[in-house]
Amino acid sequence: MDRTHDGKAFRMLNIIDEFSRESLAIHIRRKLNSQDVLHVLGKLFLRHGPPEHIRSDNGPEFVADAVREWLGRLNVKTLYIEPGSPWENGYYESFNGKLRDECLNREIFYSLREAQILIEQWRVFYNTERPHSSLGYRPPAPKAILPPPIPAAYGAGRIVQSQVQVHAGF
């Protein structure tokens, strides 16, 4: 949770891949509910496929019947951490600390939209450029390094260049 400059709170739904340490999504709204969880997870499942399990806290948006039933239909197991046991969700807690230290504590958000844009920029940086000590000081989803474009040999005196960027994740 954080606040915009006017004092209004906003919440963040952070989704982390425990294996790769990649931040798959940060969904930001003034209030989050089970429909937000279903929306974000649905988009991620379409993109990456359903995971074997989801680890989360016992917040009402995660333990809602609609979320548990939907995950059950997809054969996705739920692993809820015990209240007051943040060490059971260490990757998530570590990510939240970095998000707080490297982004939230350094910015003043004048609107919810500004918060969404700046936090998403930080998420992309976190995934593609920021070194992670647990990954040998590499980012979890680095951008592919491509050779410089090769100019066309022919083309009526014009040099046509094409550049392709490959971006892992979102």
Side-chain angles (χ1 to χ4, degrees):
M1 186 179 112
D2 205 351
R3 296 187 180 277
T4 50
H5 183 64
D6 59 7
K8 294 180 182 176
F10 64 86
R11 296 188 63 205
M12 295 167 279
L13 171 62
N14 299 327
I15 301 179
I16 311 299
D17 182 325
E18 287 185 355
F19 178 74
S20 70
R21 311 295 204 292
E22 181 180 3
S23 169
L24 299 175
I26 302 177
H27 185 73
I28 303 166
R29 294 286 182 266
R30 293 285 180 195
K31 295 180 180 181
L32 292 172
N33 59 34
S34 61
Q35 291 303 310
D36 292 308
V37 172
L38 290 172
H39 173 74
V40 174
L41 290 179
K43 285 174 44 178
L44 291 172
F45 288 9
L46 285 173
R47 183 175 181 96
H48 302 283
E52 181 180 313
H53 69 273
I54 291 182
R55 184 183 322 274
S56 72
D57 61 19
N58 291 297
E61 62 275 3
F62 285 106
V63 298
D65 290 338
V67 173
R68 292 188 314 176
E69 289 171 11
W70 182 72
L71 291 173
R73 285 194 307 269
L74 295 172
N75 295 319
V76 176
K77 298 175 186 132
T78 54
L79 302 172
Y80 296 111
I81 64 168
E82 291 294 321
S85 302
W87 55 86
E88 291 182 13
N89 207 1
Y91 298 124
Y92 180 78
E93 295 297 329
S94 175
F95 174 81
N96 281 345
K98 289 171 179 59
L99 173 61
R100 172 85 35 213
D101 292 343
E102 298 173 11
C103 181
L104 302 178
N105 288 345
R106 295 177 180 204
E107 298 288 346
I108 297 174
F109 304 112
Y110 288 95
S111 69
L112 184 64
R113 185 67 184 137
E114 181 181 27
Q116 291 167 334
I117 291 168
L118 292 175
I119 293 168
E120 177 62 15
Q121 287 175 347
W122 179 84
R123 187 187 74 80
V124 170
F125 168 77
Y126 176 88
N127 284 338
T128 60
E129 296 179 43
R130 184 189 180 281
H132 295 239
S133 60
S134 62
L135 299 173
Y137 295 95
R138 292 183 310 252
K143 292 180 182 176
I145 299 172
L146 300 175
I150 300 171
Y154 304 101
R158 295 183 335 176
I159 296 178
V160 179
Q161 295 183 345
S162 64
Q163 188 173 16
V164 177
Q165 268 190 343
V166 178
H167 180 62
F170 286 121

